[in-house]
Amino acid sequence: MSRPSQSRRRSLTPAVAGAIVFLAVAALASVSFVVARGGLELPLAATSLPVVAVGSPTPPAPTPAAPRPATPTPATSLAPSGSSPAPQPTPSSGSGPAASPSARPTPAGTPDPLLALATCPGHPDCYLYTVRRGDTFSGVSDRFRLQLWITRALNPEVGTGGTIAVGQTLYLGRDPEARLDPCPDGAACRLYVVQSGDTLSGIADRYGVPETGILALNPGLSADAIIGGQQIRLPLFA
C-alpha cells in the first residue's frame, strides 16, 4: 500500500505544478479583466424594432340621450265595416243665415262693447251707433263682435252693397228682431210690417225664424199673398 502513494507523489513534478499555477493565474487575470471592463458584453444583432405609435387616450363614448317618449297620436275612430259615415246635420229652411266669419263671441270677463252705446227708444236690446270716417258696414259689425247677417237684418235701409255715410245711424244688437215691437196681447212674438218686395221666405231668412212658424202665428196668411204695409207676427228669435 505504501508504494502506489509514493509513485503518485513522485509523478507531481515541478513542471506539472508550474503549469497548474500558470493556469490558475491566467484564469484569475481573465476574470479581473472582465470585471474591470464592466462585465462580459455579448454582441446583439442590430435589429430595429418597429416604433409603436402611442395615441392620446380615447375619450369615453358619450352616453346616448334617453329617447323622448313618442307623442301619442289621437286615436282615429273607425266606423264598423260596411257602415256608412253618419250624415252631417243640414240646417232646415228658415233657421237663419249661417254665422258671419267676422262674428266673434265676447270673451268671458270682457265688457260687452254694445253697453257703451245708447239704446234705441223703447227697444232695450237695440243700440245706436253713428258712422264715423273710415267705417265700413262689416267693420262696424266686427268691431262690436256681431254676426253680420243680424246687423243686416237690423238695418234693412242699408243696401246689399253695405254702403254707409259719415253721420248715418246704424242699429246694432245680437237679436235680429231687436227693432221690432212686441205683440200687444203678450204672445211670444214680434210685429213686422211688410215692405215692398218682401216674400214670406225672405222674411223668414232675414230674421232667422222658420217659415212654418210665421204661418202658424198668422192664420189665414198665404205665402203668396203678402203686400207692403201688411202687419204680420214673427216668432221670437231663439
Side-chain angles (χ1 to χ4, degrees), residues 108-176:
T110 302
D112 189 342
L114 289 175
L115 300 180
L117 303 177
T119 58
C120 304
H123 300 85
D125 294 329
C126 172
Y127 299 86
L128 300 174
Y129 175 78
T130 303
V131 177
R132 298 178 296 185
R133 184 178 300 277
D135 280 342
T136 63
F137 189 72
S138 61
V140 171
S141 183
D142 184 55
R143 185 188 312 161
F144 288 93
R145 301 187 180 96
L146 305 175
Q147 296 187 41
L148 184 58
W149 76 269
I150 292 180
T151 306
R152 291 189 184 280
L154 290 172
N155 297 273
E157 303 85 0
V158 179
T160 56
T163 303
I164 56 177
V166 175
Q168 180 179 351
T169 298
L170 295 181
Y171 301 90
L172 305 179
R174 292 187 170 83
D175 182 348

Side-chain angles (χ1 to χ4, degrees), residues 147-208:
Q147 296 187 41
L148 184 58
W149 76 269
I150 292 180
T151 306
R152 291 189 184 280
L154 290 172
N155 297 273
E157 303 85 0
V158 179
T160 56
T163 303
I164 56 177
V166 175
Q168 180 179 351
T169 298
L170 295 181
Y171 301 90
L172 305 179
R174 292 187 170 83
D175 182 348
E177 300 175 355
R179 287 183 65 185
L180 303 181
D181 293 328
C183 295
D185 55 359
C189 61
R190 289 192 173 101
L191 298 176
Y192 174 74
V193 178
V194 177
Q195 304 297 313
S196 177
D198 276 345
T199 63
L200 194 63
S201 60
I203 294 172
D205 288 340
R206 180 189 305 165
Y207 290 100

